[in-house]
Amino acid sequence: MFTGIIEERGTVAGVVASTDALRLTVRGPLSVSDARHGDSISVSGVCLTVVDRSEDTFTADVMAQTLSMSTIGSLVAGAEVNLERAALVGDRLGGHIVQGHIDGTATLLSVSPGKAWSVLRFRLAADLARLVVDKGSIAVSGVSLTVSAVGRDDEGDWFEVSLIPETLTATTLGALAPGDRVNIETDVLARHVERLLSFGARS
């Protein structure tokens, strides 16, 4: 379990791909400072399990389903990622409840800079759009954010988030350009409600 408050920006140190999986090594001194074998670390929103570690890196295996649902498969050595260690019981919940279970990806449409913040608009699939509400919570590449607007145009559904300078510099979101993909995790409560309503519709 995570909170979506990014602890550090890590760097991909190595990627070893196989037929239907990938072994990822990430450099993140803070994230591995107290990491043990089997611990969970969120890598740009994807919950991965530590299978090996060094003084400043950790290695995790990524299965085919995760590769198909997220942007992990497109990572290359040198790429920056958002890192967060699993939440400790008793800590303040600064963001919102984030599971690290990616629902899919969204594509950045535009960046509208302001004096004190920037507004990022993302395109997302219709099946995810119904789980995203104005002023609701969403995790974008592991970052806990509040949805500032939702809408639909001729091309499909979109949502916006408004980012303060701290978020733009402390995470990888500030380096995004239109066309870039990000990992999306919708609010867990919305997912449960949708599932329950689907059973009601059947009956």
Side-chain angles (χ1 to χ4, degrees):
M1 193 70 69
F2 308 92
T3 69
I5 304 299
I6 302 305
E7 296 185 295
E8 67 176 330
R9 288 165 61 171
T11 305
V12 175
V15 179
V16 179
S18 60
T19 304
D20 61 351
L22 180 150
R23 175 158 282 203
L24 183 70
T25 300
V26 178
R27 180 166 288 103
L30 177 61
S31 297
V32 299
S33 61
D34 59 353
R36 297 171 298 180
H37 184 91
D39 281 356
S40 296
I41 296 177
S42 171
V43 179
S44 289
V46 181
C47 177
L48 297 180
T49 301
V50 176
V51 297
D52 195 10
R53 57 156 295 183
S54 69
E55 183 177 345
D56 64 349
T57 68
F58 68 92
T59 298
D61 291 320
V62 186
M63 60 183 176
Q65 182 183 17
T66 303
L67 294 174
S68 67
M69 293 285 291
S70 73
T71 63
I72 292 292
S74 63
L75 292 176
V76 296
E80 287 195 322
V81 291
N82 296 321
L83 298 178
E84 180 191 355
R85 292 170 293 181
L88 291 171
V89 175
D91 272 7
R92 291 184 178 88
L93 185 61
H96 72 282
I97 295 175
V98 178
Q99 295 181 298
H101 302 162
I102 300 302
D103 293 307
T105 62
T107 303
L108 180 64
L109 293 177
S110 63
V111 179
S112 302
K115 291 184 178 180
W117 63 81
S118 289
V119 178
L120 278 63
R121 177 177 290 193
F122 294 92
R123 176 82 65 207
L124 76 168
D127 62 329
L128 296 182
R130 62 174 175 260
L131 301 175
V132 179
V133 299
D134 189 21
K135 304 304 183 289
S137 296
I138 192 167
V140 178
S141 288
V143 184
S144 173
L145 299 171
T146 299
V147 177
S148 57
V150 295
R152 182 176 176 82
D153 56 28
D154 292 340
E155 302 300 322
D157 296 284
W158 55 263
F159 74 93
E160 291 180 347
V161 290
S162 300
L163 307 184
I164 61 174
E166 171 65 19
T167 304
L168 293 169
T169 58
T171 74
T172 61
L173 300 185
L176 292 176
D180 287 344
R181 290 192 309 138
V182 293
N183 296 321
I184 295 294
E185 181 183 334
T186 58
D187 186 74
V188 62
L189 294 179
R191 297 202 301 272
H192 280 293
V193 169
E194 182 190 44
R195 179 64 171 165
L196 291 170
L197 289 175
S198 73
F199 280 101
R202 294 179 194 176
S203 60

